[in-house]
Amino acid sequence: MESNAAMPDSSYRKERGPQFWRVARQACQLAGAVDVSFFFLFHILGSPILAWVNVISVSMYVAAYYALGRQQNRLAIRLIWTEVIVHSALGTVLIGWGSGFHYYLLMFIPALFVTMPLRSAALSLVGLWGYYVGLDILMWFIAPIQPISSGALLGVHLFNLSIVFAMFSYLSFYYLSMVLSAQRKLRRLATIDPLTGLFNRSHGSELAEKEIGRFQREGHPVSFMLLDVDHFKLINDRYGHEMGDRVLAKIGQLILAQLRTQDLVARWGGEEFLIILPTTSIDSALSSAERVRDALCSYDWKAIDGVAMDVTISVGVSEFCEGDDIASVIRRADQALYRSKAGGRNRVEQEEVLEQ
């Protein structure tokens, strides 16, 4: 695996995702505001060294903020790391472990695994643990250099604890949002055809099974349309596969425009589409099929790329019956589609159902 050191900054940014870097910029703003508050707080408490340390801290967060805006993400991460590590140590050594400055080091635990490859994050985590424990042990053997009153120390402790609690809550919300977003993307990839934006074949089959189940429970009719683009290979050969893809995407849009919101459309194959029509009898399905066919015939295909072309479809229609399953009802629609092709294309054919 390529290390971070060998990875260009643009790739580093791309790999982490833009949302993470937006959150990092917001964290810089929040941390800078906290350090401004500390500047005044420590002046009031009579600790000028820590007060002016916060001026440096604010400058570092401002620099990190602008570095992130310029996509100089490595520089920004180094600035943030340096500020927190040095600031937490200075605060602890100057006014004591009870100040709670060491809590800020814990903020790096989740951030490590977002900003680094797993191996580097694990090594950095061990180093962070060693630093934290070392700081803890050190304060067992030395007294604070610039102690403050116990009441003031409690106030600083509660302030630091509250800030860390708020930032952990914010990061938790971010990670939850990131997980939910990834789940939505995965669900979309699992159900949607990326070219047309319609359902893919797998999800189309699931939807068909659900409609069949509803038919069996409630008795509502459900019809199917199997639609195929006529001479689609010629379109690809003559105008190129990119144009063919654009034609398929437009066909998907035209189909949706002619149907009801409850009707379901899936890309069934290369240039083949399955349309599921809930609560629709065969006669109504034939009307819908003709409406779709007419829409494709009347569309000005020059609007795509200024190329005049004829795009037509052949359609087979079937209705689900008692004793059917998804394979049999789609097979009858496919047979009707075949008759449409054999009959000259650009037409709609109905299934042939044998009398019982």
Side-chain angles (χ1 to χ4, degrees):
M1 180 182 295
E2 191 176 27
S3 67
N4 270 350
M7 188 185 300
D9 212 46
S10 59
S11 299
Y12 186 64
R13 182 180 182 90
K14 182 177 180 182
E15 185 166 291
R16 303 303 157 207
Q19 186 180 5
F20 171 78
W21 300 114
R22 284 197 297 271
V23 170
R25 294 192 86 194
Q26 292 168 2
C28 286
Q29 290 176 308
L30 177 60
V34 169
D35 284 333
V36 170
S37 301
F38 272 133
F39 174 78
F40 294 104
L41 176 64
F42 283 114
H43 264 303
I44 293 170
L45 295 176
S47 184
I49 296 176
L50 269 177
W52 288 104
V53 164
N54 284 283
V55 173
I56 299 172
S57 296
V58 171
S59 300
M60 294 179 74
Y61 280 120
V62 169
Y65 178 86
Y66 283 104
L68 288 168
R70 296 188 178 97
Q71 301 186 14
Q72 296 173 329
N73 306 304
R74 292 179 182 281
L75 173 61
I77 293 298
R78 290 190 186 107
L79 285 168
I80 294 170
W81 265 90
T82 302
E83 195 286 325
V84 175
I85 288 173
V86 174
H87 198 166
S88 61
L90 280 174
T92 301
V93 170
L94 287 171
I95 62 174
W97 186 260
S99 64
F101 277 103
H102 52 89
Y103 292 143
Y104 292 102
L105 293 171
L106 303 177
M107 297 289 300
F108 282 124
I109 295 175
L112 284 173
F113 293 94
V114 178
T115 58
M116 295 181 179
L118 181 59
R119 183 177 179 183
S120 298
L123 291 173
S124 297
L125 183 63
V126 172
L128 180 64
W129 174 83
Y131 184 83
Y132 192 93
V133 171
L135 189 59
D136 187 11
I137 293 173
L138 175 66
M139 297 312 297
W140 280 81
F141 295 98
I142 67 170
I145 296 173
Q146 197 174 74
I148 57 179
S149 68
S150 59
L153 185 64
L154 176 61
V156 173
H157 176 90
L158 292 176
F159 183 80
N160 283 330
L161 183 62
S162 299
I163 293 298
V164 171
F165 190 92
M167 294 187 75
F168 261 119
S169 299
Y170 178 68
L171 285 175
S172 298
F173 175 76
Y174 161 69
Y175 292 132
L176 176 63
S177 300
M178 187 170 62
V179 169
L180 292 176
S181 176
Q183 288 177 340
R184 285 193 294 270
K185 288 178 182 178
L186 287 173
R187 281 198 298 268
R188 181 173 177 81
L189 288 172
T191 60
I192 300 298
D193 171 59
L195 175 63
T196 62
L198 304 173
F199 296 121
N200 59 26
R201 181 175 182 129
S202 174
H203 194 57
S205 297
E206 292 178 11
L207 294 172
E209 293 283 6
K210 288 180 180 179
E211 288 304 322
I212 289 171
R214 192 163 73 153
F215 167 88
Q216 293 167 339
R217 290 191 308 271
E218 303 172 8
H220 295 306
V222 55
S223 294
F224 293 81
M225 293 163 46
L226 202 58
L227 179 158
D228 188 83
V229 184
D230 296 327
H231 301 298
F232 185 70
K233 185 176 184 302
L234 291 178
I235 295 175
N236 276 336
D237 292 344
R238 184 173 298 175
Y239 305 109
H241 287 275
E242 183 179 352
M243 176 62 76
D245 289 346
R246 295 171 70 181
V247 166
L248 288 175
K250 188 62 186 181
I251 288 173
Q253 295 173 10
L254 292 171
I255 291 172
L256 289 173
Q258 302 305 314
L259 298 175
R260 306 166 300 175
T261 55
Q262 66 263 38
D263 296 332
L264 306 166
V265 187
R267 187 180 179 194
W268 201 242
E271 64 270 16
E272 202 169 52
F273 300 83
L274 177 70
I275 302 173
I276 306 165
L277 303 165
T279 64
T280 304
S281 65
I282 188 71
D283 292 334
S284 296
L286 288 168
S287 298
S288 296
E290 287 290 357
R291 192 164 61 250
V292 172
R293 188 189 66 81
D294 288 341
L296 268 71
C297 285
S298 60
Y299 181 74
D300 182 8
W301 291 96
K302 287 194 296 185
I304 290 186
D305 201 23
V307 178
M309 66 178 84
D310 293 323
V311 179
T312 62
I313 57 170
S314 299
V315 188
V317 182
S318 64
E319 182 179 356
F320 190 82
C321 303
E322 287 288 352
D324 261 334
D325 57 22
I326 186 172
S328 60
V329 70
I330 292 178
R331 182 168 59 249
R332 292 203 308 277
D334 191 43
Q335 291 167 351
L337 173 62
Y338 179 80
R339 290 199 306 277
S340 176
K341 294 285 189 183
R345 293 181 169 83
N346 191 25
R347 53 191 292 142
V348 175
E349 288 285 345
Q350 177 181 349
E351 64 181 347
E352 290 182 343
V353 181
L354 298 176
E355 296 293 335
Q356 300 295 323

Short mmCIF file of all heavy atoms in Angstrom, two decimals, residues 103-124:
data_model
loop_
_atom_site.label_atom_id
_atom_site.label_comp_id
_atom_site.label_asym_id
_atom_site.label_seq_id
_atom_site.Cartn_x
_atom_site.Cartn_y
_atom_site.Cartn_z
N TYR A 103 -7.41 16.31 27.69
CA TYR A 103 -8.57 15.75 27.01
C TYR A 103 -8.51 15.98 25.50
O TYR A 103 -9.02 15.19 24.71
CB TYR A 103 -9.86 16.36 27.55
CG TYR A 103 -10.20 16.00 28.97
CD1 TYR A 103 -10.80 16.93 29.82
CD2 TYR A 103 -9.94 14.73 29.48
CE1 TYR A 103 -11.11 16.61 31.13
CE2 TYR A 103 -10.24 14.40 30.79
CZ TYR A 103 -10.83 15.34 31.61
OH TYR A 103 -11.15 15.01 32.91
N TYR A 104 -7.90 17.10 25.10
CA TYR A 104 -7.86 17.42 23.67
C TYR A 104 -7.07 16.40 22.86
O TYR A 104 -7.31 16.22 21.66
CB TYR A 104 -7.29 18.83 23.46
CG TYR A 104 -8.20 19.92 23.98
CD1 TYR A 104 -7.94 20.55 25.19
CD2 TYR A 104 -9.34 20.30 23.27
CE1 TYR A 104 -8.78 21.53 25.68
CE2 TYR A 104 -10.18 21.28 23.75
CZ TYR A 104 -9.90 21.90 24.96
OH TYR A 104 -10.74 22.86 25.44
N LEU A 105 -6.12 15.73 23.53
CA LEU A 105 -5.37 14.69 22.82
C LEU A 105 -6.28 13.54 22.39
O LEU A 105 -6.04 12.89 21.36
CB LEU A 105 -4.25 14.15 23.72
CG LEU A 105 -3.12 15.12 24.05
CD1 LEU A 105 -2.21 14.55 25.12
CD2 LEU A 105 -2.32 15.47 22.80
N LEU A 106 -7.33 13.28 23.17
CA LEU A 106 -8.24 12.18 22.85
C LEU A 106 -9.01 12.44 21.57
O LEU A 106 -9.51 11.50 20.93
CB LEU A 106 -9.21 11.95 24.02
CG LEU A 106 -8.56 11.65 25.39
CD1 LEU A 106 -9.63 11.51 26.46
CD2 LEU A 106 -7.73 10.38 25.30
N MET A 107 -9.11 13.72 21.18
CA MET A 107 -9.83 14.06 19.95
C MET A 107 -9.19 13.42 18.72
O MET A 107 -9.84 13.22 17.70
CB MET A 107 -9.87 15.57 19.75
CG MET A 107 -10.61 16.33 20.84
SD MET A 107 -12.38 16.05 20.76
CE MET A 107 -12.74 16.67 19.15
N PHE A 108 -7.87 13.11 18.83
CA PHE A 108 -7.16 12.58 17.68
C PHE A 108 -7.48 11.11 17.41
O PHE A 108 -7.21 10.60 16.32
CB PHE A 108 -5.65 12.73 17.86
CG PHE A 108 -5.15 14.11 17.59
CD1 PHE A 108 -4.43 14.79 18.55
CD2 PHE A 108 -5.41 14.74 16.39
CE1 PHE A 108 -3.97 16.08 18.30
CE2 PHE A 108 -4.94 16.01 16.13
CZ PHE A 108 -4.22 16.68 17.10
N ILE A 109 -8.03 10.41 18.39
CA ILE A 109 -8.24 8.97 18.23
C ILE A 109 -9.13 8.67 17.02
O ILE A 109 -8.73 7.90 16.13
CB ILE A 109 -8.78 8.34 19.52
CG1 ILE A 109 -7.73 8.44 20.63
CG2 ILE A 109 -9.17 6.88 19.28
CD1 ILE A 109 -8.20 7.97 21.99
N PRO A 110 -10.35 9.24 16.91
CA PRO A 110 -11.13 8.96 15.70
C PRO A 110 -10.54 9.61 14.46
O PRO A 110 -10.63 9.06 13.35
CB PRO A 110 -12.52 9.54 16.03
CG PRO A 110 -12.27 10.57 17.07
CD PRO A 110 -11.11 10.06 17.87
N ALA A 111 -9.92 10.81 14.63
CA ALA A 111 -9.40 11.53 13.47
C ALA A 111 -8.25 10.77 12.80
O ALA A 111 -8.08 10.85 11.58
CB ALA A 111 -8.94 12.92 13.88
N LEU A 112 -7.48 10.03 13.59
CA LEU A 112 -6.34 9.29 13.02
C LEU A 112 -6.79 8.34 11.91
O LEU A 112 -6.14 8.24 10.86
CB LEU A 112 -5.66 8.47 14.13
CG LEU A 112 -4.78 9.24 15.12
CD1 LEU A 112 -4.33 8.30 16.24
CD2 LEU A 112 -3.59 9.82 14.41
N PHE A 113 -7.89 7.64 12.15
CA PHE A 113 -8.31 6.61 11.20
C PHE A 113 -9.04 7.20 9.99
O PHE A 113 -9.33 6.48 9.04
CB PHE A 113 -9.19 5.59 11.92
CG PHE A 113 -8.44 4.80 12.94
CD1 PHE A 113 -8.42 5.19 14.27
CD2 PHE A 113 -7.70 3.68 12.57
CE1 PHE A 113 -7.70 4.47 15.22
CE2 PHE A 113 -6.98 2.97 13.50
CZ PHE A 113 -6.98 3.35 14.83
N VAL A 114 -9.31 8.48 10.03
CA VAL A 114 -9.91 9.14 8.87
C VAL A 114 -8.85 9.79 8.00
O VAL A 114 -8.97 9.86 6.79
CB VAL A 114 -10.95 10.19 9.33
CG1 VAL A 114 -11.55 10.91 8.13
CG2 VAL A 114 -12.05 9.53 10.13
N THR A 115 -7.78 10.28 8.63
CA THR A 115 -6.76 11.03 7.89
C THR A 115 -5.56 10.20 7.48
O THR A 115 -4.68 10.71 6.80
CB THR A 115 -6.27 12.21 8.75
OG1 THR A 115 -5.73 11.71 9.98
CG2 THR A 115 -7.40 13.17 9.04
N MET A 116 -5.50 8.92 7.88
CA MET A 116 -4.33 8.10 7.59
C MET A 116 -4.74 6.71 7.14
O MET A 116 -5.81 6.24 7.48
CB MET A 116 -3.44 7.95 8.84
CG MET A 116 -2.81 9.21 9.34
SD MET A 116 -1.77 8.84 10.79
CE MET A 116 -1.13 10.48 11.14
N PRO A 117 -3.87 6.02 6.39
CA PRO A 117 -4.07 4.59 6.14
C PRO A 117 -4.05 3.83 7.47
O PRO A 117 -3.51 4.33 8.47
CB PRO A 117 -2.88 4.19 5.26
CG PRO A 117 -2.40 5.47 4.67
CD PRO A 117 -2.68 6.54 5.68
N LEU A 118 -4.62 2.65 7.48
CA LEU A 118 -4.81 1.90 8.72
C LEU A 118 -3.50 1.67 9.47
O LEU A 118 -3.42 1.86 10.69
CB LEU A 118 -5.49 0.56 8.41
CG LEU A 118 -5.80 -0.33 9.62
CD1 LEU A 118 -6.71 0.40 10.59
CD2 LEU A 118 -6.43 -1.64 9.16
N ARG A 119 -2.46 1.25 8.76
CA ARG A 119 -1.20 0.94 9.44
C ARG A 119 -0.60 2.19 10.08
O ARG A 119 -0.17 2.16 11.24
CB ARG A 119 -0.21 0.33 8.45
CG ARG A 119 1.11 -0.07 9.08
CD ARG A 119 2.02 -0.73 8.07
NE ARG A 119 3.31 -1.10 8.66
CZ ARG A 119 4.31 -1.63 7.99
NH1 ARG A 119 4.17 -1.90 6.70
NH2 ARG A 119 5.44 -1.92 8.59
N SER A 120 -0.58 3.31 9.34
CA SER A 120 -0.04 4.55 9.88
C SER A 120 -0.88 5.04 11.05
O SER A 120 -0.34 5.55 12.05
CB SER A 120 -0.01 5.62 8.79
OG SER A 120 0.84 5.24 7.72
N ALA A 121 -2.21 4.87 10.95
CA ALA A 121 -3.09 5.30 12.04
C ALA A 121 -2.83 4.49 13.30
O ALA A 121 -2.80 5.04 14.41
CB ALA A 121 -4.54 5.16 11.60
N ALA A 122 -2.62 3.18 13.14
CA ALA A 122 -2.36 2.32 14.30
C ALA A 122 -1.05 2.71 14.98
O ALA A 122 -0.97 2.79 16.22
CB ALA A 122 -2.32 0.86 13.87
N LEU A 123 -0.01 2.97 14.18
CA LEU A 123 1.27 3.38 14.75
C LEU A 123 1.15 4.74 15.45
O LEU A 123 1.71 4.94 16.54
CB LEU A 123 2.33 3.45 13.64
CG LEU A 123 2.75 2.10 13.03
CD1 LEU A 123 3.68 2.33 11.84
CD2 LEU A 123 3.43 1.22 14.07
N SER A 124 0.44 5.66 14.82
CA SER A 124 0.24 6.97 15.43
C SER A 124 -0.56 6.87 16.72
O SER A 124 -0.32 7.61 17.68
CB SER A 124 -0.47 7.91 14.45
OG SER A 124 0.30 8.12 13.30
#
